[in-house]
Amino acid sequence: MDRGVPHPSLQEARAVCRAKPVWGDLAKVYPFGEPLGVFPDGLDLQCVVPGMLQQWHRTTTGYWAGWVRYKIGGEYGGQPGAHWVGAYALDPRREGTTR
């Protein structure tokens, strides 16, 4: 999905009838810049994670954001979370696929 409108509707909010699987690029959501070091036990916010898109909403600047549920740190059971993610950081995902 690019920075444009993910749906042809001009509505400001659009619920997704059934949650849709997406990939969320956390490096785009959290653009920290250059690493300060290597911390193997740290939280990886630079990876791509699978998530479920629940809803789209237009921002005040005209871009689209999706309400996404996902887990961070899946190799240790993961911590569930949900928040608004810019469309630029989301890509469609087919269930069962890996990146």
Side-chain angles (χ1 to χ4, degrees):
M1 296 171 208
D2 66 80
R3 293 177 173 251
V5 179
H7 187 271
S9 170
L10 295 178
Q11 296 174 350
E12 297 306 310
R14 181 180 185 322
V16 175
C17 293
R18 196 175 119 216
K20 296 189 183 305
V22 293
W23 291 110
D25 188 338
L26 298 181
K28 292 179 180 177
V29 176
Y30 302 101
F32 289 123
E34 291 298 314
L36 301 176
V38 177
F39 302 89
D41 296 329
L43 188 61
D44 187 358
L45 296 178
Q46 300 302 292
C47 63
V48 176
V49 296
M52 295 302 288
L53 173 68
Q54 305 286 315
Q55 177 182 2
W56 285 113
H57 205 294
R58 190 184 294 270
T59 68
T60 58
T61 56
Y63 292 98
W64 285 89
W67 183 256
V68 179
R69 296 186 183 285
Y70 59 91
K71 284 186 179 181
I72 296 177
E75 60 272 9
Y76 304 109
Q79 180 64 41
H83 69 274
W84 294 104
V85 176
Y88 60 86
L90 299 174
D91 285 309
R93 171 176 63 92
R94 286 185 320 172
E95 283 291 359
T97 61
T98 58
R99 262 223 164 159

